Amino acid sequence: MAEHQDGASGLLEVAVLHARDVPGCVEGGADRLSLAVEGRSPDVPTASSVIRACDLPVRVVLRLDDTFTTNGGDLMRLIGLAREYVALGAEGVTFGFLDADLGIDVETTRALAESLPGVPWTFHRAVDATLEPRRAWAHLDGLPGLDAVATGGSPQGLAHGYDDVLALLDDVPGVARVLMACGGLRPDHVPWLVQAGVRQFQVDEQVRPGGSEKAYVDAALVRSWRLLLDDVVAQRGPRAAGATDAR
C-alpha cells in the first residue's frame, strides 16, 4: 500500500456489495474495497464475509439512513459498528456528517474519528452536498486519520462536477493528496486528474457488466481500469501537478 501513498502508483478502490463481488476485484488487480449496501452500513455477517474473502484492505461505510446528519444515539451506534468492523479485520471505514447549514459537521465527524485511534478513514461524498465546497475542504484539513475524500464534484457526480474538481485541485493546495475521484468516473477523466496530482480512484458500476448491481464485479473490467491507471501514472505521474487546463 505504501507505493500508492507515495504517489509512485495509483490506488484503485472498487465498491462492493457482498462477498460474491470479491473474486473479480482480486483477479482484476484492485487495491482496496469499499463496502456498503444500498449506500448504508452492511450488517455484521455481510461485512465479515467480505473481509474474510480476501487479503485486500476493506473500508466499510458507516451510514444508517439516507441523510448526512446524525444524533447522539446514532453516533454511538456508528461507533459500535465501526469497532465491530475493525475487530473483524476491516482496514478502515468511510463516513462523514453535515450540519443543518449543509456544512461539514466537524464536531461529530471528529468525535467518530477520535473514537477509532489509528484507523484510517475516508470522508464520503457528503462533501459534494455542501453549500460551500472550498470551506468544506478547509474544515476537513487536519482531521485525525483522514487519508481520502471521495468526491465527484457534484451530487450528480463527475458528469456534472468534473470541471469543479479540476478547479478545486488547481486552486486549493493539498487537495490532491487526499482526493479520491468517484461517481461516474470515465477513462478520459483519469489522465487529467493524475496530471493534477490525484492518485486515488474509485469505480463501481463501471466494473459490473451492463452497469447493473445485479451483476457481480467483473475481473476483466477491473483489470482494464488497473492497466489504464498504471499506464497513465507511469506516463504522467512525474509531470508537475496543477496542469488542469483541459476540460
Side-chain angles (χ1 to χ4, degrees):
M1 189 62 66
E3 62 179 338
H4 302 290
Q5 299 302 318
D6 66 15
S9 187
L11 186 146
L12 180 63
E13 179 178 279
V14 179
V16 300
L17 301 172
H18 39 61
R20 294 182 295 277
D21 284 331
V22 174
C25 299
V26 175
E27 295 168 22
D31 296 301
R32 189 169 71 203
L33 309 182
S34 174
L35 172 62
V37 177
E38 297 182 349
R40 304 181 188 181
S41 295
D43 58 37
V44 171
T46 298
S48 178
S49 67
V50 169
I51 292 165
R52 289 187 290 105
C54 68
D55 293 329
L56 292 178
V58 178
R59 293 201 177 179
V60 187
V61 169
L62 299 174
R63 191 179 183 194
L64 299 179
D65 55 37
D66 292 333
T67 73
F68 295 125
T69 59
T70 191
N71 56 41
D74 287 344
L75 178 60
M76 294 309 298
R77 184 179 170 194
L78 289 171
I79 290 172
L81 266 178
R83 288 173 175 167
E84 284 193 78
Y85 295 148
V86 172
L88 289 170
E91 175 261 356
V93 289
T94 298
F95 62 89
F97 307 105
L98 303 185
D99 59 26
D101 297 320
L102 296 183
I104 302 297
D105 185 342
V106 177
E107 181 179 353
T108 303
T109 302
R110 181 179 292 277
L112 183 45
E114 290 180 345
S115 76
L116 302 167
V119 176
W121 61 282
T122 300
F123 193 98
H124 60 49
R125 285 190 56 201
V127 71
D128 290 337
T130 58
L131 287 181
E132 299 180 65
R134 296 291 196 279
R135 184 179 181 187
W137 280 84
H139 285 164
L140 294 174
D141 188 35
L143 287 173
L146 178 67
D147 66 3
V149 179
T151 181
S154 160
Q156 291 76 41
L158 288 163
H160 293 83
Y162 175 61
D163 286 350
D164 290 332
V165 169
L166 289 181
L168 178 73
L169 288 162
D170 199 37
D171 295 344
V172 184
V175 165
R177 180 180 57 84
V178 295
L179 189 147
M180 179 168 65
C182 63
L185 182 70
R186 300 198 314 255
D188 59 294
H189 293 152
V190 174
W192 301 105
L193 290 168
V194 167
Q195 185 166 307
V198 177
R199 292 296 181 274
Q200 299 185 73
F201 298 83
Q202 186 194 86
V203 290
D204 186 351
E205 69 276 1
Q206 301 96 320
V207 294
R208 297 179 185 275
S212 171
E213 288 190 351
K214 296 181 180 179
Y216 303 155
V217 170
D218 181 79
L221 293 175
V222 176
R223 175 60 60 184
S224 70
W225 284 92
R226 172 81 275 157
L227 294 174
L228 169 65
L229 185 53
D230 288 349
D231 181 60
V232 169
V233 170
Q235 291 185 26
R236 306 196 123 179
R239 296 179 64 178
T244 55
D245 54 333
R247 298 293 189 269

